[in-house]
Amino acid sequence: MGSGGSTCLISAEGPAGVEQRLEARRGRLPPALWAQRGLRKLYLSGAGLRDVPAELASLRHLRTLALDGNELMEVPEALCQLPCLAYLYLGRNGLQGLPPAFGRLQSLRCLWLEGNFMGRFPAALLGLPGLRSLQLGDNRLARLPSSLPRMAGLQGLWLYGNRFQHFPPVLLRMAQLRVLDLDRNRIARFPDLRGLAGLCLLSYDHNPVPQPPRVADTVRLVGSGAVEYMEEREERLREQQRLEEEEEEEEEGAGRMPRDDGSPLLEDAP
């Protein structure tokens, strides 16, 4: 977190893609920032902020907002009034939850909340079906809500460094997930995950599991024993492919051989 007493460079980008550099002093943002109503991107990372002025709500076209590495204890109300916001960085603050108004951010696609103090999954997120990527690593979560499948657009979920002692069963109903990171938890047993049809990457490292989880053959694994498991899987798949090719060749060969069914040959016909 920032010290709140230093000078920090912040950057902003308008519709033309031109980046501007400004100074935040002692955790305060320059008033000239709010006059630029057409801003698309605003990076306020590590600026020592303990709050954000209400004028933030005037940046109606803002699509990217970075507030990570500050000293925010609550999500600013003004932030929840940005209708175009798609990418939001709130990692490494002092957040313990999200306000109900956070559910207004219906344009949000990627959200970073890592390194906070979330003890419960924020209920406001369940009202964001368009959210695709959710970073909740290094918090204090021990369970997930049964209504999580309401987040139908979610494809990436990072839950590393939390307090899960059991694999959250609701994740078995999240077939659209492509990336699932459960590294550094306390999960001793994983269920059969082959039903997660969309899964491409599973990280389970630093959990007390005796062997890699069972996943579909297309899933990349990251964790203890994963390299050996994937090498053996690759060898098995190659052998399976070789046998299938041999069977196809045998069937094709059998189809080319003349059959003796008692019918007269063409040249023997009268």
Side-chain angles (χ1 to χ4, degrees):
M1 293 185 181
S3 63
S6 59
T7 299
C8 175
L9 282 177
I10 62 174
S11 67
E13 185 177 307
V18 179
E19 183 181 11
Q20 307 171 54
R21 295 281 184 169
L22 301 168
E23 282 190 355
R25 295 177 180 273
R26 298 181 180 180
R28 295 183 179 180
L29 299 172
L33 183 63
W34 315 120
Q36 305 179 55
R37 302 295 174 87
L39 288 182
R40 298 298 193 269
K41 300 178 180 180
L42 181 57
Y43 298 95
L44 305 175
S45 305
L49 301 176
R50 296 177 179 173
D51 197 4
V52 177
E55 287 83 353
L56 176 67
S58 66
L59 305 180
R60 307 287 290 176
H61 302 286
L62 200 64
R63 287 184 50 81
T64 300
L65 175 60
L67 285 166
D68 50 308
N70 280 287
E71 301 178 14
L72 301 174
M73 304 302 291
E74 297 179 349
V75 172
E77 174 66 25
L79 186 154
C80 301
Q81 302 177 35
L82 299 174
C84 297
L85 194 62
Y87 305 93
L88 176 58
Y89 300 80
L90 285 170
R92 295 178 291 109
N93 279 282
L95 304 176
Q96 298 184 40
L98 300 177
F102 199 88
R104 300 175 190 163
L105 299 175
Q106 291 295 308
S107 297
L108 201 60
R109 295 296 175 263
C110 300
L111 174 61
W112 287 262
L113 287 167
E114 78 284 358
N116 280 285
F117 300 92
M118 305 277 184
R120 294 184 178 181
F121 188 90
L125 297 180
L126 299 174
L128 299 176
L131 193 66
R132 295 196 302 258
S133 176
L134 177 57
Q135 168 64 270
L136 276 167
D138 288 329
N139 275 277
R140 299 178 177 181
L141 301 174
R143 57 180 58 87
L144 297 177
S146 60
S147 51
L148 189 67
R150 288 169 53 187
M151 302 182 71
L154 195 62
Q155 297 182 16
L157 181 58
W158 285 262
L159 297 168
Y160 60 84
N162 276 278
R163 299 179 179 180
F164 294 100
Q165 296 188 17
H166 305 283
F167 181 88
V170 69
L171 291 177
L172 295 174
R173 295 191 282 128
M174 301 289 288
Q176 80 280 7
L177 279 180
R178 295 176 59 83
V179 177
L180 177 58
D181 189 340
L182 285 163
D183 189 12
R184 290 191 287 113
N185 280 280
R186 307 169 189 173
I187 303 172
R189 180 181 176 275
F190 279 77
D192 190 327
L193 301 178
R194 288 177 293 181
L196 294 179
L199 197 62
C200 297
L201 173 65
L202 172 67
S203 178
Y204 63 93
D205 207 9
H206 303 99
N207 281 281
V209 291
Q211 59 190 16
R214 298 185 71 180
V215 293
D217 289 336
T218 54
V219 178
R220 181 188 172 199
L221 292 172
V222 178
S224 177
V227 173
E228 295 81 2
Y229 176 90
M230 290 188 290
E231 287 177 350
E232 292 175 3
R233 181 177 68 185
E234 186 65 27
E235 180 61 31
R236 172 174 55 82
L237 292 175
R238 282 198 297 265
E239 179 64 15
Q240 180 179 333
Q241 182 179 3
R242 184 184 66 80
L243 292 174
E244 290 175 354
E245 291 174 352
E246 289 181 356
E247 289 180 3
E248 290 178 1
E249 291 176 359
E250 290 176 359
E251 291 176 359
E252 291 175 358
R256 289 193 296 267
M257 292 177 61
R259 294 181 301 170
D260 185 6
D261 56 1
S263 301
L265 296 175
L266 185 60
E267 54 268 30
D268 294 337

